[in-house]
Amino acid sequence: MKKSFVIAYRIYLLPLFIFLSLPSFGKNGADSSAYKSVLNLAYGNAPDERNLLDIFLPNSPNPNTKMLVFIHGGYWTKGSKNQLPKALIQILAGKKGYAVASINYRLVKDNQNRYPVQMDDIQQALRFLNLKADSLGYKKGEFGLLGASAGAYLALMYAYTADPKKEIKTVIDIVGPTDFTDPMVRGKNLEADKTITNFLGVSDPNAPLAKESSPLLRVNAASAVPTIIFHGENDEVVHVQQAKNLYAKLSQLGIKTQLELYPNETHEMRKSLFSVFLKMGTWLDQVYPSGVKN
């Protein structure tokens, strides 16, 4: 287990999941006939292109077209908005009629940009997307958040703790960590512990910051939103109990939630793409319909 964990981390697995299995949308990728693209918009002034985003729109949006925002993985030190695969854009924007944004955010580097600067970036990106809504033709003031691993964590954390206007209507959590105090992802998992310590700048899992930055420990009935959780039961990076605990907490709070567990799946979720896409689409139809009839 320990050997496989180290290997997984060192092949840069946290663009994971669909992002390792499907073709990436390149920086200068061509538009599909099913949707249109507006690329490399600056929503802030962070260096190294960390405050850029892309927007993908159905060909016939209307003022009720809903916006989904993708937050990339990369254990908070790597990755970019270009990890959103073209195949997923085609499904969400081209077929289901969503507006979709993919955002960069500041990465931890040289002891800089540690949590919570990513929350500030997400807030600024959503503010920018609201400003662009009228001119691009989608609905302002409502968002669904979609993320994988590190990006799923940011989606959960933002939705549960940083959204006083209640603009976030749902979160799609794919193998996201939820509790930075959990010994299953700290002392018992040395690489995960190292990653979290680098992200927070604090090594003690019982430190106030570890608790403050844990979605599981911060969510309450007033702040929670409908959340679907996808997780592999053999995840070697984020222990599956993290997903189970979040599901139990949301259920206890009376929040609409759904937990999809995949036996024998690891953190990458490579074998379960069809199921994840299908269940994601059904969930969105139920809790956050696109507003566009195709």
Side-chain angles (χ1 to χ4, degrees):
M1 174 63 73
K2 184 178 292 186
K3 182 178 179 181
S4 66
F5 172 82
V6 172
I7 291 171
Y9 252 95
R10 291 178 181 174
I11 63 172
Y12 178 30
L13 65 77
L14 280 181
L16 57 64
F17 170 61
I18 49 179
F19 321 127
L20 290 176
S21 303
L22 295 173
S24 298
F25 188 87
K27 194 168 185 178
N28 298 308
D31 288 353
S32 162
S33 61
Y35 62 86
K36 48 193 175 183
S37 307
V38 186
L39 305 180
N40 296 316
L41 299 175
Y43 69 83
N45 57 11
D48 302 322
E49 300 186 340
R50 296 318 306 175
N51 281 170
L52 296 184
L53 60 78
D54 297 334
I55 299 174
F56 307 95
L57 299 163
N59 283 329
S60 300
N62 65 53
N64 291 317
T65 297
K66 302 291 182 61
M67 169 63 76
L68 289 169
V69 179
F70 169 73
I71 307 175
H72 70 79
Y75 46 107
W76 307 293
T77 62
K78 298 180 180 181
S80 83
K81 60 183 175 60
N82 298 324
Q83 288 167 214
L84 177 60
K86 189 173 182 179
L88 188 55
I89 302 168
Q90 289 171 333
I91 290 171
L92 294 175
K95 293 184 178 181
K96 297 190 72 65
Y98 288 94
V100 181
S102 183
I103 69 171
N104 283 347
Y105 53 86
R106 283 173 286 178
L107 301 174
V108 180
K109 183 179 180 181
D110 299 327
N111 298 321
Q112 301 294 319
N113 297 333
R114 290 193 166 109
Y115 174 87
V117 301
Q118 294 78 18
M119 297 292 101
D120 296 334
D121 286 347
I122 295 170
Q123 183 180 61
Q124 196 168 0
L126 298 186
R127 187 180 298 124
F128 177 86
L129 290 171
N130 276 334
L131 292 174
K132 287 290 184 181
D134 289 340
S135 62
L136 292 178
Y138 55 85
K139 188 171 185 177
K140 68 172 64 174
E142 290 190 8
F143 302 97
L145 298 183
L146 162 64
S149 199
Y153 161 81
L154 294 175
L156 293 168
M157 194 65 191
Y158 186 87
Y160 297 167
T161 72
D163 182 31
K165 295 183 179 179
K166 302 298 291 181
E167 292 185 316
I168 309 305
K169 304 305 180 184
T170 187
V171 174
I172 299 168
D173 162 19
I174 304 165
V175 299
T178 67
D179 182 2
F180 290 156
T181 72
D182 184 354
M184 297 303 295
V185 295
R186 301 303 303 262
K188 293 184 180 180
N189 191 325
L190 297 180
E191 289 289 334
D193 183 65
K194 181 180 177 181
T195 299
I196 295 167
T197 296
N198 185 51
F199 178 54
L200 298 180
V202 173
S203 60
D204 182 2
N206 295 312
L209 182 59
K211 298 177 182 179
E212 175 190 317
S213 59
S214 296
L216 176 71
L217 305 182
R218 294 289 306 279
V219 68
N220 57 53
S223 69
V225 300
T227 303
I228 187 169
I229 305 162
F230 297 93
H231 218 102
E233 294 198 67
N234 285 344
D235 191 321
E236 73 283 17
V237 179
V238 179
H239 196 281
V240 67
Q241 195 63 43
Q242 296 257 304
K244 293 177 179 179
N245 289 347
L246 179 60
Y247 174 74
K249 178 75 173 288
L250 293 172
S251 298
Q252 181 182 27
L253 293 172
I255 304 302
K256 184 175 178 62
T257 186
Q258 186 172 325
L259 176 61
E260 298 294 337
L261 297 178
Y262 293 86
N264 304 315
E265 273 286 20
T266 64
H267 196 60
E268 296 178 15
M269 297 284 285
R270 288 194 180 202
K271 297 177 289 185
S272 303
L273 297 180
F274 179 78
S275 173
V276 171
F277 280 133
L278 181 65
K279 291 175 181 178
M280 182 192 305
T282 301
W283 172 266
L284 288 170
D285 289 341
Q286 293 173 354
V287 304
Y288 191 63
S290 67
V292 174
K293 295 182 180 180
N294 290 332

